[in-house]
Amino acid sequence: MIDVQSIRDAARDLLAKGEVRAVIGYQRGSRGMLAEPVTITDPEQADELVWDATCFHNLALYLVEDRKALAHAQRTPNLPIAIVAKGCDARAIVVLMQEHYFKREDVYIIGVSCEGGGVLVEYKLARLLNGAQALSAVIDGAELVVTTLAGEVRLPASEVMADRCLECREPFPKEHNVVFGEDQTSRQLVAPFTALARFEALSEADRWAYWCRQFERCIRCFACRSVCPMCYCDECVVDSITFPVAPETTAEEKANRIRWIERSAVRSENITYHMTRAMHLAGRCIDCGECERVCPVNIPLRLLNNKMEREAREHFGYEPGASIGGPSLVASFRDDDPGQFIR
Amino acid sequence: MSEEEQAYEPKIVAFLCKWCSSAGSDLAGVSRIQYPANATPITVPCSGSISPLYILSAFNKGADGVLLSGCHIGDCHYIEGNYLARRKIYLIKELLEMVGVEPDRFRMSWVSAAEGAKYAQVVKDFVADLKPLGPQNKLKADRT
Protein backbone atom coordinates (compact mmCIF):
# COMPACT_ATOMS: atom_id res chain seq x y z
CA MET A 1 0.00 0.00 0.00
CA ILE A 2 1.32 3.42 -0.92
CA ASP A 3 1.76 5.95 1.84
CA VAL A 4 0.15 9.14 0.56
CA GLN A 5 2.74 11.11 2.51
CA SER A 6 5.46 9.91 0.14
CA ILE A 7 3.59 11.39 -2.84
CA ARG A 8 3.13 14.66 -0.94
CA ASP A 9 6.83 14.76 -0.02
CA ALA A 10 7.86 14.16 -3.61
CA ALA A 11 5.56 16.92 -4.86
CA ARG A 12 6.71 19.34 -2.15
CA ASP A 13 10.37 18.62 -2.92
CA LEU A 14 9.94 19.13 -6.65
CA LEU A 15 8.15 22.46 -6.18
CA ALA A 16 10.44 23.71 -3.42
CA LYS A 17 13.58 22.93 -5.40
CA GLY A 18 12.09 24.60 -8.46
CA GLU A 19 12.42 21.50 -10.60
CA VAL A 20 8.87 21.67 -11.88
CA ARG A 21 6.47 24.54 -12.41
CA ALA A 22 3.39 22.70 -11.12
CA VAL A 23 2.16 19.31 -9.97
CA ILE A 24 -1.04 17.79 -11.32
CA GLY A 25 -2.56 15.44 -8.76
CA TYR A 26 -5.68 14.61 -6.80
CA GLN A 27 -7.17 16.41 -3.82
CA ARG A 28 -10.21 15.80 -1.66
CA GLY A 29 -13.17 17.16 -3.54
CA SER A 30 -16.40 18.79 -2.50
CA ARG A 31 -18.38 15.60 -3.13
CA GLY A 32 -17.77 13.58 0.01
CA MET A 33 -15.19 10.86 -0.36
CA LEU A 34 -14.45 11.50 -4.02
CA ALA A 35 -11.11 12.88 -5.11
CA GLU A 36 -10.84 15.56 -7.76
CA PRO A 37 -7.99 16.71 -10.00
CA VAL A 38 -5.91 19.65 -8.83
CA THR A 39 -2.90 21.57 -10.09
CA ILE A 40 -0.65 22.86 -7.32
CA THR A 41 2.12 25.38 -7.75
CA ASP A 42 2.97 26.12 -4.11
CA PRO A 43 4.97 23.61 -1.98
CA GLU A 44 2.62 24.42 0.91
CA GLN A 45 -0.29 22.93 -1.01
CA ALA A 46 1.42 19.54 -1.31
CA ASP A 47 -0.31 18.32 1.86
CA GLU A 48 -3.65 18.60 0.09
CA LEU A 49 -2.75 15.79 -2.31
CA VAL A 50 -4.52 12.49 -1.81
CA TRP A 51 -4.26 9.00 -3.24
CA ASP A 52 -7.06 6.48 -2.78
CA ALA A 53 -9.54 4.33 -4.67
CA THR A 54 -11.55 7.34 -5.85
CA CYS A 55 -8.75 8.80 -7.98
CA PHE A 56 -10.61 7.91 -11.18
CA HIS A 57 -9.49 10.70 -13.45
CA ASN A 58 -6.96 10.21 -16.17
CA LEU A 59 -4.77 13.21 -15.40
CA ALA A 60 -3.04 13.03 -18.79
CA LEU A 61 -5.99 15.14 -19.95
CA TYR A 62 -4.64 18.05 -17.91
CA LEU A 63 -1.26 17.81 -19.63
CA VAL A 64 -3.13 18.34 -22.88
CA GLU A 65 -5.07 21.23 -21.36
CA ASP A 66 -1.81 22.72 -20.07
CA ARG A 67 -0.25 22.42 -23.51
CA LYS A 68 -3.22 24.12 -25.12
CA ALA A 69 -3.18 26.94 -22.57
CA LEU A 70 0.55 27.50 -23.17
CA ALA A 71 0.07 27.56 -26.93
CA HIS A 72 -2.74 30.03 -26.53
CA ALA A 73 -0.61 32.28 -24.30
CA GLN A 74 2.36 31.76 -26.66
CA ARG A 75 4.56 30.77 -23.76
CA THR A 76 7.33 28.18 -23.75
CA PRO A 77 8.21 27.45 -20.12
CA ASN A 78 11.65 26.06 -19.36
CA LEU A 79 10.48 23.89 -16.48
CA PRO A 80 8.59 20.62 -16.84
CA ILE A 81 5.22 19.95 -15.26
CA ALA A 82 4.86 17.05 -12.84
CA ILE A 83 1.94 14.66 -12.90
CA VAL A 84 0.70 11.90 -10.63
CA ALA A 85 0.09 8.98 -12.97
CA LYS A 86 -1.47 5.55 -12.54
CA GLY A 87 -0.59 2.74 -14.95
CA CYS A 88 -3.24 3.78 -17.47
CA ASP A 89 -2.41 7.49 -17.15
CA ALA A 90 1.26 6.74 -17.82
CA ARG A 91 0.34 4.81 -20.96
CA ALA A 92 -1.75 7.78 -22.12
CA ILE A 93 1.24 10.06 -21.56
CA VAL A 94 3.41 7.69 -23.61
CA VAL A 95 0.91 7.81 -26.49
CA LEU A 96 0.88 11.61 -26.36
CA MET A 97 4.67 11.66 -26.49
CA GLN A 98 4.66 9.11 -29.31
CA GLU A 99 2.49 11.55 -31.22
CA HIS A 100 4.90 14.39 -30.39
CA TYR A 101 2.29 16.24 -28.43
CA PHE A 102 5.05 17.12 -25.96
CA LYS A 103 8.54 15.90 -25.25
CA ARG A 104 9.68 13.54 -22.53
CA GLU A 105 11.60 16.31 -20.77
CA ASP A 106 8.45 18.46 -20.60
CA VAL A 107 6.86 16.07 -18.11
CA TYR A 108 7.96 14.72 -14.77
CA ILE A 109 5.99 11.57 -14.08
CA ILE A 110 5.30 10.70 -10.44
CA GLY A 111 4.18 7.13 -11.00
CA VAL A 112 1.79 5.44 -8.59
CA SER A 113 1.17 1.73 -8.91
CA CYS A 114 -2.37 0.50 -8.42
CA GLU A 115 -0.76 -2.71 -7.09
CA GLY A 116 -3.54 -5.22 -6.44
CA GLY A 117 -6.25 -2.61 -6.62
CA GLY A 118 -7.62 0.10 -8.85
CA VAL A 119 -10.40 2.60 -8.67
CA LEU A 120 -13.88 1.86 -7.42
CA VAL A 121 -17.24 2.40 -9.05
CA GLU A 122 -19.65 4.47 -7.04
CA TYR A 123 -22.78 2.45 -7.80
CA LYS A 124 -21.11 -0.85 -6.92
CA LEU A 125 -20.02 0.58 -3.59
CA ALA A 126 -23.39 2.14 -2.87
CA ARG A 127 -25.08 -1.20 -3.46
CA LEU A 128 -22.82 -2.99 -1.00
CA LEU A 129 -23.06 -0.28 1.64
CA ASN A 130 -26.84 -0.43 1.64
CA GLY A 131 -27.31 3.29 1.72
CA ALA A 132 -24.65 4.15 4.28
CA GLN A 133 -22.61 7.25 3.44
CA ALA A 134 -18.95 6.50 2.70
CA LEU A 135 -16.44 9.06 3.93
CA SER A 136 -13.29 7.54 2.52
CA ALA A 137 -12.28 4.50 0.53
CA VAL A 138 -8.77 3.05 0.37
CA ILE A 139 -7.67 -0.22 -1.14
CA ASP A 140 -5.56 -2.36 1.17
CA GLY A 141 -4.35 -5.49 -0.58
CA ALA A 142 -7.39 -7.40 -1.78
CA GLU A 143 -9.76 -5.43 0.41
CA LEU A 144 -11.38 -2.04 0.20
CA VAL A 145 -11.44 -0.22 3.51
CA VAL A 146 -14.43 2.10 3.65
CA THR A 147 -15.02 4.52 6.48
CA THR A 148 -18.68 5.29 7.11
CA LEU A 149 -20.39 7.19 9.89
CA ALA A 150 -21.09 3.86 11.57
CA GLY A 151 -17.44 2.81 11.45
CA GLU A 152 -15.03 0.94 9.26
CA VAL A 153 -16.22 -1.63 6.71
CA ARG A 154 -13.93 -4.01 4.82
CA LEU A 155 -15.20 -5.21 1.46
CA PRO A 156 -13.58 -7.47 -1.15
CA ALA A 157 -11.94 -5.02 -3.56
CA SER A 158 -12.87 -7.04 -6.65
CA GLU A 159 -16.56 -6.44 -5.95
CA VAL A 160 -16.34 -2.65 -6.01
CA MET A 161 -13.56 -2.08 -8.51
CA ALA A 162 -14.20 -0.73 -11.98
CA ASP A 163 -14.31 -3.30 -14.80
CA ARG A 164 -11.40 -1.61 -16.50
CA CYS A 165 -9.28 -2.06 -13.37
CA LEU A 166 -10.27 -5.69 -13.01
CA GLU A 167 -9.27 -6.31 -16.62
CA CYS A 168 -6.15 -4.11 -16.38
CA ARG A 169 -3.00 -5.75 -17.71
CA GLU A 170 -0.59 -3.09 -16.59
CA PRO A 171 -1.40 -1.45 -13.26
CA PHE A 172 2.19 -0.26 -12.92
CA PRO A 173 3.35 2.93 -14.68
CA LYS A 174 6.36 1.72 -16.66
CA GLU A 175 7.28 5.21 -17.84
CA HIS A 176 8.12 7.30 -14.77
CA ASN A 177 10.70 9.57 -13.17
CA VAL A 178 9.88 8.35 -9.71
CA VAL A 179 7.47 5.63 -8.73
CA PHE A 180 5.63 4.55 -5.60
CA GLY A 181 4.14 1.13 -4.95
CA GLU A 182 5.06 -2.33 -6.12
CA ASP A 183 5.04 -3.59 -9.66
CA GLN A 184 2.22 -6.12 -9.81
CA THR A 185 1.92 -6.28 -13.57
CA SER A 186 1.35 -10.03 -13.50
CA ARG A 187 -1.74 -9.76 -11.31
CA GLN A 188 -4.76 -11.27 -13.01
CA LEU A 189 -8.08 -10.34 -11.46
CA VAL A 190 -10.30 -10.93 -14.47
CA ALA A 191 -9.07 -12.04 -17.90
CA PRO A 192 -8.60 -9.05 -20.24
CA PHE A 193 -11.45 -8.36 -22.67
CA THR A 194 -13.90 -10.45 -20.63
CA ALA A 195 -16.79 -8.04 -21.19
CA LEU A 196 -15.99 -7.88 -24.90
CA ALA A 197 -15.88 -11.66 -25.29
CA ARG A 198 -19.25 -11.92 -23.53
CA PHE A 199 -20.71 -9.34 -25.88
CA GLU A 200 -19.27 -10.91 -29.01
CA ALA A 201 -20.92 -14.22 -28.23
CA LEU A 202 -24.24 -12.56 -29.14
CA SER A 203 -25.71 -13.03 -32.61
CA GLU A 204 -25.52 -10.28 -35.21
CA ALA A 205 -29.18 -9.34 -34.73
CA ASP A 206 -28.77 -9.22 -30.95
CA ARG A 207 -25.65 -7.10 -31.24
CA TRP A 208 -27.47 -4.65 -33.46
CA ALA A 209 -30.46 -4.54 -31.10
CA TYR A 210 -28.09 -3.93 -28.21
CA TRP A 211 -26.32 -1.01 -29.88
CA CYS A 212 -29.64 0.47 -30.98
CA ARG A 213 -30.76 0.56 -27.38
CA GLN A 214 -27.47 2.16 -26.36
CA PHE A 215 -27.17 4.74 -29.10
CA GLU A 216 -30.79 5.83 -29.02
CA ARG A 217 -30.01 7.17 -25.56
CA CYS A 218 -26.92 9.17 -26.55
CA ILE A 219 -27.55 12.88 -26.13
CA ARG A 220 -24.32 13.90 -27.89
CA CYS A 221 -23.06 15.87 -24.93
CA PHE A 222 -19.54 14.96 -26.11
CA ALA A 223 -18.48 14.23 -22.52
CA CYS A 224 -16.63 11.15 -23.82
CA ARG A 225 -14.66 13.34 -26.17
CA SER A 226 -14.02 16.05 -23.57
CA VAL A 227 -12.65 13.66 -20.99
CA CYS A 228 -10.42 11.75 -23.39
CA PRO A 229 -6.75 12.75 -23.34
CA MET A 230 -6.41 11.43 -26.90
CA CYS A 231 -9.22 13.61 -28.28
CA TYR A 232 -7.07 16.71 -28.38
CA CYS A 233 -7.98 18.06 -31.83
CA ASP A 234 -9.21 21.65 -31.73
CA GLU A 235 -11.30 20.91 -34.75
CA CYS A 236 -13.39 17.74 -34.45
CA VAL A 237 -14.32 16.19 -37.77
CA VAL A 238 -17.71 15.01 -36.54
CA ASP A 239 -18.71 18.22 -34.80
CA SER A 240 -19.34 21.14 -37.14
CA ILE A 241 -19.38 23.81 -34.43
CA THR A 242 -15.71 23.23 -33.67
CA PHE A 243 -14.66 24.32 -37.15
CA PRO A 244 -12.66 27.51 -36.84
CA VAL A 245 -14.35 30.71 -37.79
CA ALA A 246 -12.23 33.80 -38.39
CA PRO A 247 -13.49 37.32 -39.19
CA GLU A 248 -12.64 36.70 -42.83
CA THR A 249 -14.58 33.40 -43.03
CA THR A 250 -17.42 33.97 -45.46
CA ALA A 251 -20.94 32.66 -45.05
CA GLU A 252 -20.43 30.64 -48.20
CA GLU A 253 -17.33 28.96 -46.80
CA LYS A 254 -19.20 28.09 -43.62
CA ALA A 255 -22.13 26.68 -45.57
CA ASN A 256 -19.92 24.62 -47.87
CA ARG A 257 -17.87 22.87 -45.23
CA ILE A 258 -18.16 19.14 -45.34
CA ARG A 259 -20.39 17.92 -42.58
CA TRP A 260 -19.73 14.21 -42.51
CA ILE A 261 -22.46 13.69 -40.00
CA GLU A 262 -25.00 15.93 -38.34
CA ARG A 263 -24.93 17.02 -34.73
CA SER A 264 -28.50 15.97 -34.10
CA ALA A 265 -28.79 13.29 -31.44
CA VAL A 266 -30.51 10.63 -33.53
CA ARG A 267 -29.50 6.99 -33.70
CA SER A 268 -27.82 6.96 -37.10
CA GLU A 269 -25.69 10.04 -36.35
CA ASN A 270 -24.85 8.80 -32.86
CA ILE A 271 -23.66 5.45 -34.16
CA THR A 272 -21.55 7.11 -36.83
CA TYR A 273 -20.08 9.47 -34.25
CA HIS A 274 -19.13 6.68 -31.85
CA MET A 275 -17.74 4.45 -34.60
CA THR A 276 -15.65 7.31 -35.93
CA ARG A 277 -14.38 7.97 -32.46
CA ALA A 278 -13.51 4.30 -31.98
CA MET A 279 -11.58 4.34 -35.25
CA HIS A 280 -9.73 7.52 -34.30
CA LEU A 281 -8.76 5.89 -31.02
CA ALA A 282 -7.63 2.61 -32.58
CA GLY A 283 -4.08 1.97 -31.41
CA ARG A 284 -4.24 5.04 -29.18
CA CYS A 285 -6.86 4.17 -26.59
CA ILE A 286 -5.11 2.88 -23.50
CA ASP A 287 -8.33 1.72 -21.84
CA CYS A 288 -8.53 4.17 -18.95
CA GLY A 289 -12.31 3.79 -19.25
CA GLU A 290 -12.97 7.46 -18.56
CA CYS A 291 -15.39 7.81 -21.50
CA GLU A 292 -17.58 5.12 -20.04
CA ARG A 293 -17.38 6.56 -16.54
CA VAL A 294 -18.43 10.07 -17.52
CA CYS A 295 -21.22 9.02 -19.89
CA PRO A 296 -24.40 10.48 -18.39
CA VAL A 297 -26.54 7.83 -20.07
CA ASN A 298 -24.20 4.88 -19.34
CA ILE A 299 -23.30 3.78 -22.84
CA PRO A 300 -20.71 0.98 -22.59
CA LEU A 301 -18.17 2.78 -24.76
CA ARG A 302 -15.32 0.62 -23.58
CA LEU A 303 -16.66 -2.24 -25.68
CA LEU A 304 -15.95 -0.35 -28.90
CA ASN A 305 -12.50 0.75 -27.85
CA ASN A 306 -11.66 -2.67 -26.41
CA LYS A 307 -12.61 -4.24 -29.70
CA MET A 308 -10.09 -2.09 -31.56
CA GLU A 309 -7.48 -2.69 -28.89
CA ARG A 310 -7.88 -6.44 -29.04
CA GLU A 311 -7.81 -6.59 -32.85
CA ALA A 312 -4.64 -4.50 -32.86
CA ARG A 313 -3.07 -6.76 -30.27
CA GLU A 314 -4.05 -10.08 -31.80
CA HIS A 315 -3.64 -9.32 -35.48
CA PHE A 316 -1.01 -6.62 -35.61
CA GLY A 317 0.90 -7.33 -32.41
CA TYR A 318 0.37 -3.74 -31.38
CA GLU A 319 0.18 -2.55 -27.78
CA PRO A 320 -0.89 1.10 -27.32
CA GLY A 321 1.26 3.10 -24.95
CA ALA A 322 4.12 0.60 -24.98
CA SER A 323 6.89 2.74 -26.43
CA ILE A 324 7.53 6.40 -27.08
CA GLY A 325 9.62 5.89 -30.19
CA GLY A 326 7.61 3.16 -31.92
CA PRO A 327 5.42 3.69 -34.99
CA SER A 328 1.69 4.20 -34.51
CA LEU A 329 -0.80 1.47 -35.39
CA VAL A 330 -2.28 2.90 -38.56
CA ALA A 331 0.94 4.45 -39.85
CA SER A 332 2.78 1.13 -39.94
CA PHE A 333 2.23 -2.29 -41.45
CA ARG A 334 3.66 -5.78 -41.61
CA ASP A 335 3.83 -8.10 -44.57
CA ASP A 336 1.71 -10.66 -42.79
CA ASP A 337 -1.15 -8.37 -41.83
CA PRO A 338 -4.47 -10.17 -42.36
CA GLY A 339 -5.69 -9.75 -45.95
CA GLN A 340 -7.88 -12.81 -46.51
CA PHE A 341 -11.01 -10.66 -46.45
CA ILE A 342 -9.87 -8.84 -49.61
CA ARG A 343 -11.08 -10.28 -52.90
CA MET B 1 -38.26 -14.24 -54.75
CA SER B 2 -41.08 -11.72 -54.46
CA GLU B 3 -41.67 -9.03 -57.04
CA GLU B 4 -40.58 -6.38 -54.60
CA GLU B 5 -37.25 -8.06 -54.00
CA GLN B 6 -36.67 -8.39 -57.72
CA ALA B 7 -37.31 -4.71 -58.20
CA TYR B 8 -34.81 -3.78 -55.50
CA GLU B 9 -31.50 -2.60 -56.86
CA PRO B 10 -28.81 -2.03 -54.23
CA LYS B 11 -26.90 1.22 -54.36
CA ILE B 12 -23.16 0.66 -54.16
CA VAL B 13 -20.57 3.33 -53.54
CA ALA B 14 -17.26 2.20 -55.01
CA PHE B 15 -14.07 3.95 -53.94
CA LEU B 16 -11.55 3.18 -56.68
CA CYS B 17 -7.85 3.92 -56.67
CA LYS B 18 -7.03 6.18 -59.57
CA TRP B 19 -3.91 4.20 -60.55
CA CYS B 20 -5.50 0.79 -60.88
CA SER B 21 -9.13 -0.02 -60.07
CA SER B 22 -10.43 3.13 -61.65
CA ALA B 23 -8.61 2.25 -64.86
CA GLY B 24 -9.77 -1.34 -64.37
CA SER B 25 -13.40 -0.23 -64.30
CA ASP B 26 -12.71 1.81 -67.40
CA LEU B 27 -11.27 -1.25 -69.10
CA ALA B 28 -14.39 -3.21 -68.19
CA GLY B 29 -16.36 -0.49 -69.95
CA VAL B 30 -14.29 -0.21 -73.12
CA SER B 31 -14.12 -4.01 -73.35
CA ARG B 32 -17.94 -3.98 -73.43
CA ILE B 33 -18.15 -6.37 -70.48
CA GLN B 34 -21.73 -6.54 -69.22
CA TYR B 35 -22.03 -5.97 -65.47
CA PRO B 36 -24.63 -4.42 -63.17
CA ALA B 37 -24.83 -0.64 -63.12
CA ASN B 38 -25.36 -0.46 -59.35
CA ALA B 39 -21.92 0.81 -58.45
CA THR B 40 -21.28 4.54 -58.36
CA PRO B 41 -17.53 4.96 -58.78
CA ILE B 42 -15.65 7.58 -56.80
CA THR B 43 -12.01 7.90 -57.81
CA VAL B 44 -9.60 8.40 -54.93
CA PRO B 45 -5.84 9.02 -55.16
CA CYS B 46 -4.97 5.77 -53.35
CA SER B 47 -6.76 3.11 -51.34
CA GLY B 48 -4.57 4.27 -48.45
CA SER B 49 -6.14 7.72 -48.66
CA ILE B 50 -9.48 6.31 -47.57
CA SER B 51 -10.62 7.63 -44.24
CA PRO B 52 -12.94 5.34 -42.27
CA LEU B 53 -15.26 8.29 -42.28
CA TYR B 54 -15.74 7.98 -46.07
CA ILE B 55 -17.14 4.51 -45.55
CA LEU B 56 -19.31 5.39 -42.57
CA SER B 57 -20.50 8.51 -44.33
CA ALA B 58 -21.46 6.53 -47.47
CA PHE B 59 -23.61 4.24 -45.31
CA ASN B 60 -24.97 7.29 -43.52
CA LYS B 61 -25.99 8.86 -46.83
CA GLY B 62 -27.89 5.73 -47.84
CA ALA B 63 -25.48 3.35 -49.59
CA ASP B 64 -26.58 -0.29 -49.42
CA GLY B 65 -23.03 -1.47 -49.92
CA VAL B 66 -19.57 0.07 -50.00
CA LEU B 67 -16.79 -1.29 -52.19
CA LEU B 68 -13.20 -0.26 -51.84
CA SER B 69 -10.74 -1.30 -54.47
CA GLY B 70 -7.03 -0.69 -54.81
CA CYS B 71 -3.80 -2.01 -56.29
CA HIS B 72 -2.50 -5.47 -55.56
CA ILE B 73 -0.05 -5.72 -52.67
CA GLY B 74 3.34 -4.62 -53.92
CA ASP B 75 1.93 -2.59 -56.82
CA CYS B 76 1.05 0.63 -55.00
CA HIS B 77 2.00 3.77 -56.89
CA TYR B 78 2.91 5.29 -53.53
CA ILE B 79 4.84 2.14 -52.54
CA GLU B 80 2.97 1.36 -49.32
CA GLY B 81 -0.48 2.97 -49.50
CA ASN B 82 -2.35 -0.30 -49.93
CA TYR B 83 -0.49 -1.89 -47.01
CA LEU B 84 -1.73 0.93 -44.80
CA ALA B 85 -5.21 0.59 -46.28
CA ARG B 86 -5.28 -3.14 -45.54
CA ARG B 87 -4.70 -2.50 -41.84
CA LYS B 88 -7.14 0.38 -41.55
CA ILE B 89 -9.86 -1.35 -43.53
CA TYR B 90 -9.47 -4.51 -41.50
CA LEU B 91 -10.22 -2.49 -38.36
CA ILE B 92 -13.26 -0.73 -39.79
CA LYS B 93 -14.59 -4.02 -41.14
CA GLU B 94 -14.30 -5.58 -37.68
CA LEU B 95 -15.98 -2.56 -36.13
CA LEU B 96 -18.91 -2.67 -38.56
CA GLU B 97 -19.41 -6.35 -37.80
CA MET B 98 -19.20 -5.73 -34.06
CA VAL B 99 -21.93 -3.11 -34.23
CA GLY B 100 -24.12 -5.57 -36.14
CA VAL B 101 -23.95 -4.37 -39.75
CA GLU B 102 -24.07 -7.34 -42.14
CA PRO B 103 -20.47 -8.23 -43.16
CA ASP B 104 -21.57 -8.53 -46.81
CA ARG B 105 -22.33 -4.83 -47.00
CA PHE B 106 -18.72 -3.86 -47.05
CA ARG B 107 -16.15 -5.28 -49.40
CA MET B 108 -12.59 -4.67 -50.42
CA SER B 109 -10.83 -5.96 -53.49
CA TRP B 110 -7.54 -5.63 -55.34
CA VAL B 111 -8.14 -4.85 -59.03
CA SER B 112 -5.30 -3.80 -61.31
CA ALA B 113 -5.66 -1.61 -64.39
CA ALA B 114 -5.51 -4.74 -66.57
CA GLU B 115 -8.27 -6.58 -64.70
CA GLY B 116 -11.43 -5.22 -66.29
CA ALA B 117 -13.03 -8.66 -66.18
CA LYS B 118 -12.21 -9.03 -62.49
CA TYR B 119 -13.77 -5.66 -61.68
CA ALA B 120 -16.96 -6.70 -63.50
CA GLN B 121 -16.97 -9.97 -61.53
CA VAL B 122 -16.43 -8.20 -58.20
CA VAL B 123 -19.39 -5.89 -58.83
CA LYS B 124 -21.54 -8.78 -60.07
CA ASP B 125 -20.81 -10.83 -56.94
CA PHE B 126 -21.36 -7.86 -54.67
CA VAL B 127 -24.74 -7.06 -56.19
CA ALA B 128 -25.76 -10.72 -55.94
CA ASP B 129 -24.77 -10.77 -52.26
CA LEU B 130 -26.48 -7.48 -51.49
CA LYS B 131 -29.85 -8.27 -53.07
CA PRO B 132 -31.01 -10.76 -50.43
CA LEU B 133 -30.04 -8.31 -47.66
CA GLY B 134 -32.47 -5.64 -48.81
CA PRO B 135 -32.08 -1.91 -48.24
CA GLN B 136 -29.57 -0.75 -45.64
CA ASN B 137 -31.38 1.15 -42.90
CA LYS B 138 -29.07 0.62 -39.97
CA LEU B 139 -26.63 3.45 -40.53
CA LYS B 140 -28.74 5.46 -42.94
CA ALA B 141 -29.55 8.91 -41.65
CA ASP B 142 -33.15 9.42 -40.67
CA ARG B 143 -33.89 12.84 -42.09
CA THR B 144 -37.66 12.85 -41.77
Side-chain angles (χ1 to χ4, degrees), chain A residues 11-250:
Chain A
R12 189 183 304 106
D13 259 21
L14 285 169
L15 286 169
K17 285 186 192 151
E19 284 177 31
V20 299
R21 62 194 152 91
V23 177
I24 304 172
Y26 302 94
Q27 70 176 3
R28 187 63 50 233
S30 52
R31 285 176 60 211
M33 63 163 183
L34 302 185
E36 67 182 17
V38 65
T39 305
I40 59 169
T41 47
D42 183 355
E44 301 282 296
Q45 290 172 294
D47 285 326
E48 288 167 22
L49 294 180
V50 298
W51 168 249
D52 60 22
T54 65
C55 295
F56 314 123
H57 319 81
N58 185 340
L59 295 181
L61 171 69
Y62 297 96
L63 287 179
V64 173
E65 299 285 322
D66 173 64
R67 213 71 210 159
K68 284 186 177 173
L70 290 175
H72 188 73
Q74 297 185 322
R75 282 204 304 129
T76 38
N78 38 22
L79 284 179
I81 186 160
I83 180 169
V84 176
K86 307 187 285 290
C88 44
D89 305 358
R91 292 200 298 282
I93 297 168
V94 167
V95 175
L96 288 168
M97 290 189 288
Q98 187 187 10
E99 295 175 355
H100 304 290
Y101 202 77
F102 42 73
K103 295 192 193 75
R104 182 66 187 86
E105 58 267 28
D106 293 336
V107 211
Y108 185 99
I109 303 172
I110 305 171
V112 282
S113 171
C114 292
E115 298 181 323
V119 300
L120 55 81
V121 181
E122 284 168 87
Y123 73 83
K124 286 188 183 174
L125 179 63
R127 207 158 46 197
L128 285 175
L129 285 182
N130 239 337
Q133 172 94 44
L135 301 174
S136 77
V138 183
I139 287 186
D140 179 15
E143 283 184 322
L144 181 81
V145 188
V146 188
T147 322
T148 63
L149 287 172
E152 203 178 86
V153 188
R154 294 182 90 88
L155 300 165
S158 57
E159 278 179 39
V160 279
M161 264 161 61
D163 290 350
R164 52 170 160 139
C165 295
L166 292 172
E167 292 181 11
C168 181
R169 296 191 304 274
E170 210 184 290
F172 182 80
K174 252 192 236 147
E175 187 68 34
H176 59 256
N177 295 70
V178 54
V179 69
F180 300 106
E182 286 166 40
D183 183 353
Q184 292 193 10
T185 302
S186 58
R187 71 167 204 189
Q188 198 86 60
L189 299 172
V190 172
F193 307 116
T194 302
L196 178 63
R198 206 181 311 130
F199 174 77
E200 285 199 311
L202 298 175
S203 71
E204 183 186 290
D206 286 348
R207 288 203 301 272
W208 174 249
Y210 178 83
W211 286 119
C212 278
R213 277 203 310 281
Q214 303 301 335
F215 289 132
E216 262 155 20
R217 289 205 309 274
C218 177
I219 53 173
R220 291 287 276 288
C221 62
F222 294 111
C224 43
R225 186 186 67 185
S226 303
V227 81
C228 183
M230 301 307 157
C231 272
Y232 52 61
C233 301
D234 289 322
E235 200 178 330
C236 180
V237 70
V238 291
D239 181 4
S240 51
I241 64 160
T242 60
F243 297 166
V245 176
E248 62 274 16
T249 313
T250 62

Side-chain angles (χ1 to χ4, degrees), chain A residues 6 79 124 286 295 304 312:
Chain A
S6 52
L79 284 179
K124 286 188 183 174
I286 38 74
C295 182
L304 291 175

Side-chain angles (χ1 to χ4, degrees), chain A residues 196 199-200 204 207-208 211 237-238 259-262 267-269 271-272 275-276 278-279 282 303-304 307-308 311-312 315-316 329-339 341-343, chain B residues 51-54 56-57 60-61 80 83-84 86-104 107-110 118 122 125 129 137-143:
Chain A
L196 178 63
F199 174 77
E200 285 199 311
E204 183 186 290
R207 288 203 301 272
W208 174 249
W211 286 119
V237 70
V238 291
R259 263 183 254 160
W260 293 102
I261 54 168
E262 298 295 326
R267 194 188 70 199
S268 65
E269 311 302 299
I271 291 182
T272 314
M275 285 173 76
T276 306
M279 278 307 293
L303 281 180
L304 291 175
K307 170 75 179 167
M308 295 287 95
E311 293 303 327
H315 296 284
F316 307 124
L329 175 70
V330 290
S332 58
F333 61 85
R334 296 193 305 197
D335 274 346
D336 55 352
D337 280 350
F341 66 96
I342 303 168
R343 310 216 164 196
Chain B
S51 157
L53 204 43
Y54 293 6
L56 295 174
S57 187
N60 184 268
K61 306 287 182 287
E80 56 185 36
Y83 284 98
L84 297 171
R86 184 169 66 174
R87 210 171 238 215
K88 219 161 25 178
I89 299 307
Y90 177 81
L91 291 173
I92 184 90
K93 187 185 76 76
E94 288 295 318
L95 190 63
L96 283 166
E97 280 174 36
M98 153 112 174
V99 169
V101 176
E102 298 89 343
D104 267 339
R107 193 159 287 183
M108 187 175 183
S109 63
W110 302 137
K118 183 177 177 187
V122 165
D125 292 349
D129 289 344
N137 292 318
K138 288 181 173 173
L139 301 179
K140 188 177 174 183
D142 180 10
R143 307 230 193 267

